[in-house]
């Protein structure tokens, strides 16, 4: 008979299928096992749809009675857009529930587990805990802070340059690294860039399908494209403002953008958000707060050096994905990030839980900024 951890690993794979498709709900995988045989499985559907447990129970039908449920996050016990999963589990006659990690949502936070125990259903907690928590790290921050989890992503040479002296940046890294970067865009709710990037590159910022991806189709759950544009300089012919993309584009401006400019941008179909200024530019803290209010759980920052530096200076970055190419380009243009910086090397922002991955000839450095990760419920 396979172990509980074996089945929980399969549930974690199902969780990955839902990443980027469920916000503001967490991505959850669930598996029902009876007599060592999987009789039902599922993952969370887009917000308003059934949760993973309900999908698995529906697939199992009567075979759920007496089965063991493996679920990657504590079942909910409150009424939201859907009824409590705990009640569905109890009514289905599930014999025991394996929970990878508890849900930090104050409406749950152990109460789901206690309800199951009170109904006579034993629970086993902790199988695959670390992996389950990592998959929902963005949701955990959002549910406690009501602010999105911000990942800063950039590619640079060994000497820290995003582009050559002429401005040419195609390509800093190779195909394998670029494909890995698109995997990240595929699982976030919003992609943030500065207007300088739009003017220079005219990107679309869409989540391109990843070959052989096991994730569910994004459908309408595509990343919101956010342009930080204090003065409203975005070209009206930019592809981000095209008829196929405008409904998913937000341009964040300040009062430095005239009323007429804002109206012209809005006429393309994009949303214009008027935000307060900080030192003459969009207040990035206000922008992040706005995205949280919209229910956006995860944000990918694909910015140039000025905006990237401003996010670091404002302590708004939770995680780093830095792609490093083993090449030296020289010059005094296009550093990875520009800001006032630290007076001493001992004051540098240090990453925790650093992971290094080789991608062809390139390397990915992944890590967390600890002081930016913390958030109290107060």
């Amino acid at each position: 008979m396979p172990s509980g951890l074996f089945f929980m690993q399969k549930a974690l794979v199902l969780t990955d299928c839902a990443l980027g498709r469920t916000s503001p709900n967490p991505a959850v995988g669930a598996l029902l096992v009876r007599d060592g045989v999987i009789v039902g499985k599922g993952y969370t559907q887009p917000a308003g749809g059934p949760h993973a447990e309900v999908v698995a129970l529906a697939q199992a039908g009567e075979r759920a009675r007496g089965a063991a449920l493996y679920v990657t996050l504590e079942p909910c016990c409150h009424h939201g857009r859907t009824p409590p999963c705990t009640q569905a589990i109890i009514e289905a006659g599930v014999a025991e529930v394996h929970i990878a990690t508890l849900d930090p949502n104050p409406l749950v936070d152990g109460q789901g587990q206690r309800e199951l125990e009170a109904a006579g259903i034993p629970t086993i907690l902790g199988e695959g805990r670390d992996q389950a928590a990592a998959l929902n790290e963005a949701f955990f921050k959002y549910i406690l802070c009501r602010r999105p989890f911000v990942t800063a992503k950039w590619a640079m040479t060994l000497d820290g340059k995003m582009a050559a002296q002429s401005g040419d940046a195609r390509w800093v890294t190779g195909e394998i690294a670029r494909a890995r970067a698109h995997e990240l865009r595929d699982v976030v709710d919003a992609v943030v860039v500065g207007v300088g990037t739009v003017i220079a590159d005219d990107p679309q910022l869409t989540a391109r399908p990843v070959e052989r991806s096991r994730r569910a189709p994004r459908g309408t759950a595509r990343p919101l494209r956010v342009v930080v544009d204090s003065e409203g300089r975005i070209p009206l012919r930019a592809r981000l403002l095209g008829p196929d993309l405008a409904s998913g584009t937000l341009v964040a401006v300040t009062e430095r953008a005239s009323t007429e400019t804002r109206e012209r941008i809005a006429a393309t179909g994009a949303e214009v958000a008027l935000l307060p200024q900080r030192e003459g530019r969009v207040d990035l803290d206000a922008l992040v707060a706005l995205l949280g209010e919209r229910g956006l759980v995860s944000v990918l920052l694909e910015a140039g050096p000025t905006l990237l530096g401003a996010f670091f200076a404002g302590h708004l970055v939770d995680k780093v994905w830095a792609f490093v190419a083993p090449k030296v380009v020289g010059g005094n243009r296009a550093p990875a990030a520009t800001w006032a910086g630290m007076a001493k090397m001992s004051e540098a922002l240090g990453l925790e839980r650093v992971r290094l991955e080789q991608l062809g000839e390139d390397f990915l450095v992944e890590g967390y900024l600890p002081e930016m990760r913390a958030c109290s419920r107060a």
Side-chain angles (χ1 to χ4, degrees), residues 188-210:
V188 298
D189 299 325
V191 180
V192 176
V193 298
V195 68
T197 296
V198 178
I199 293 171
D201 301 334
D202 195 18
Q204 287 185 296
L205 301 181
T206 51
R208 300 173 195 169
V210 179

Side-chain angles (χ1 to χ4, degrees), residues 112-169:
Q113 183 186 25
R114 290 191 289 272
E115 280 194 15
L116 295 173
E117 293 276 359
I121 301 175
T123 62
I124 297 89
L125 177 65
E127 295 163 334
R129 185 198 312 267
D130 291 346
Q131 191 175 347
L135 284 167
N136 269 307
E137 61 189 6
F139 170 76
F140 284 6
K141 178 185 177 180
Y142 171 79
I143 203 65
L144 296 177
C145 310
R146 293 297 167 183
R147 292 167 70 91
F149 185 93
V150 177
T151 300
K153 184 211 69 150
W154 71 91
M156 66 181 183
T157 60
L158 279 178
D159 53 342
K161 300 297 169 54
M162 289 183 169
Q165 187 72 356
S166 67
D168 174 46

Side-chain angles (χ1 to χ4, degrees), residues 8 12 71-75 98-104 108 113 124-134 136 140:
M8 186 61 77
L12 288 164
V71 61
T72 57
L73 188 69
E74 178 184 11
H98 297 245
I99 303 169
T101 187
L102 295 179
D103 185 344
V108 187
Q113 183 186 25
I124 297 89
L125 177 65
E127 295 163 334
R129 185 198 312 267
D130 291 346
Q131 191 175 347
N136 269 307
F140 284 6

Side-chain angles (χ1 to χ4, degrees), residues 334-355:
T338 56
W339 52 307
M342 308 303 188
K344 299 178 180 179
M345 188 61 68
S346 60
E347 299 171 349
L349 299 175
L351 299 183
E352 287 188 347
R353 293 184 285 157
V354 176
R355 189 179 69 86

